[in-house]
């Protein structure tokens, strides 16, 4: 967990924290029936400033299967931020609910919620980070790859991105090599790369940021793509971004530079013909649906741990 029992970023997470959580998630996945009453009487508040399918549904189903309840709060039709401060919303919501989860634009907003909430706060995606996604992706890789965590993961596409940033922190912490192939204009934030480099030094892994998709993917065990049009990107930027990102599209030809048994990942939502071609996402290397399913198992583990039930 982050300091103070929140899950806001993976900035303070080390190898042991992640490995312990993966073991717990596997335990919950193997024996879901053992936890059907663990969160009886507990309520999760889910605040959303952006759209969602996987995160919203998997958290809500997780609460149902753990015996608790989830409330969806659309921030557009609530007074949060428009009529009142995040401080007031956090304090009041903490009086009603046992956990707050929020999907926000600005990362500072989730930090603000965590600062004033008196219950745990979970980051369900900000423009900067998506920690829950990456924790469940590591669970998927642990299941799929015998040599986990001694792997090379190549992320290709938009480097200045929540998935890229959280992958950098998560992979480097557990000793997985990560190579980001992206246009120079869409490089990851320096502060995140520097933090990841510190983690990599401790865990003995390598990090590289390159402007060449083939170089990034060469000999990779995992090739990861994400949307070229993240929720916070305005439609006016589409033409310019597609021009920049086209050389980083994951095609079968590009997959050919990875190891023969490489897996292809995408956190979804995905667009065939944009960040990857249809033959890649629908082909034999793709594990995107297992990845999506594991969101549910990991959310359950997170909810149980934050309630001291696991
Ligand atoms: N991967 C993910 O977070 O998907 P949603 O945007 O549908 O929640
Ligand atoms: N980078 C994507 C992730 C979606 C789960 C976005 O922010 O839209």
């Amino acid at each position: 967990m982050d300091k103070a029992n929140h899950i806001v970023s993976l900035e303070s997470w080390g190898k042991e924290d992640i490995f312990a959580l993966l073991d717990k998630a596997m335990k919950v996945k193997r024996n879901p029936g053992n936890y059907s009453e663990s969160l009886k009487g507990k309520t999760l508040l889910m605040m959303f400033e952006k759209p969602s399918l996987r995160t919203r549904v998997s958290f809500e189903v997780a609460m149902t299967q753990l015996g608790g309840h989830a409330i969806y709060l659309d921030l557009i039709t609530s007074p949060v931020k428009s009529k009142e401060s995040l401080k007031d919303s956090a304090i009041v919501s903490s009086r009603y609910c046992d956990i707050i989860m929020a999907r926000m634009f600005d990362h500072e907003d989730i930090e603000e919620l965590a600062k004033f909430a008196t219950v745990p706060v979970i980051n369900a995606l900000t423009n900067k980070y998506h920690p829950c996604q990456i924790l469940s992706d590591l669970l998927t890789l642990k299941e799929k790859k015998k040599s986990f965590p001694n792997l090379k993961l190549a992320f290709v596409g938009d480097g200045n991105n929540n998935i890229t940033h959280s992958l950098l922190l998560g992979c480097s912490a557990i000793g997985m090599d990560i190579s980001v192939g992206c246009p120079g204009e869409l490089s990851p934030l320096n502060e995140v790369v520097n933090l990841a480099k510190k983690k990599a030094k401790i865990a003995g892994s390598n990090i590289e940021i390159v402007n060449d998709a083939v170089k990034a993917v060469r000999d990779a065990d995992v090739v990861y793509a994400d949307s070229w049009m993240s929720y916070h990107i305005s439609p006016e930027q589409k033409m310019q971004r597609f021009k920049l990102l086209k050389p980083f599209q994951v095609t079968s030809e590009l997959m050919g530079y990875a190891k023969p048994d490489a897996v292809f990942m995408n956190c979804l939502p995905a667009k065939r013909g944009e960040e990857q071609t249809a033959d890649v996402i629908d082909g034999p290397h793709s594990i995107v649906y297992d990845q999506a399913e594991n969101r549910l198992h990991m959310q359950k583990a997170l909810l149980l741990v934050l309630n001291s039930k696991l």
Side-chain angles (χ1 to χ4, degrees), residues 20 34 48 55 57 97 121-122 132 135 139-140 143 157 179 204 217 220 272 309:
N34 290 356
F48 278 88
T55 307
V57 178
C97 301
V121 171
I122 301 175
C132 299
L135 291 169
L139 174 66
T140 307
E143 290 175 334
S179 182
V217 166
R272 288 159 178 80
K309 300 281 185 189

Side-chain angles (χ1 to χ4, degrees), residues 105-219:
F105 286 93
D106 295 335
H107 190 68
E108 292 70 28
D109 284 351
I110 196 103
E111 290 178 332
E112 184 83 351
L113 279 175
K115 184 173 167 193
F116 291 105
T118 54
V119 297
V121 171
I122 301 175
N123 176 359
L125 180 149
T126 60
N127 296 1
K128 188 176 182 185
Y129 289 130
H130 195 3
C132 299
Q133 177 70 51
I134 273 46
L135 291 169
S136 69
D137 292 343
L138 295 179
L139 174 66
T140 307
L141 288 175
K142 186 174 160 74
E143 290 175 334
K144 298 277 178 196
K145 288 285 183 185
K146 279 198 184 71
S147 54
F148 177 89
N150 299 316
L151 302 169
K152 173 184 171 180
L153 182 145
F155 178 92
V156 265
D158 178 7
N160 183 6
N161 179 26
N162 40 27
I163 294 293
T164 325
H165 291 149
S166 289
L167 277 171
L168 277 164
L169 297 183
C171 295
S172 61
I174 61 167
M176 199 186 287
D177 293 341
I178 174 162
S179 182
V180 176
C182 61
E185 293 87 338
L186 296 174
S187 297
L189 291 171
N190 278 337
E191 75 178 83
V192 178
V193 175
N194 290 338
L195 197 52
K197 281 186 177 161
K198 280 189 196 150
K199 288 178 189 286
K201 203 168 171 190
I202 297 168
S205 51
N206 288 316
I207 292 184
E208 62 170 9
I209 316 292
V210 294
N211 303 133
D212 177 339
V214 170
K215 197 167 175 214
V217 166
R218 200 179 290 282
D219 296 326

Side-chain angles (χ1 to χ4, degrees), residues 103 125 130 161-163 226 230-232 267-269:
R103 171 168 284 196
L125 180 149
H130 195 3
N161 179 26
N162 40 27
I163 294 293
D226 182 24
S230 285
Y231 292 125
H232 62 282
C267 59
L268 308 179

Side-chain angles (χ1 to χ4, degrees), residues 35-40 42 44 57-70 296 300 303:
Y35 303 91
S36 59
E37 304 232 335
S38 299
L39 297 188
K40 200 172 170 193
K42 303 277 185 191
L44 169 72
V57 178
S58 60
F59 265 107
E60 186 160 343
V61 171
M63 280 307 280
T64 304
Q65 293 185 357
L66 296 171
H69 178 66
L296 172 64
K300 283 185 179 176
L303 292 164

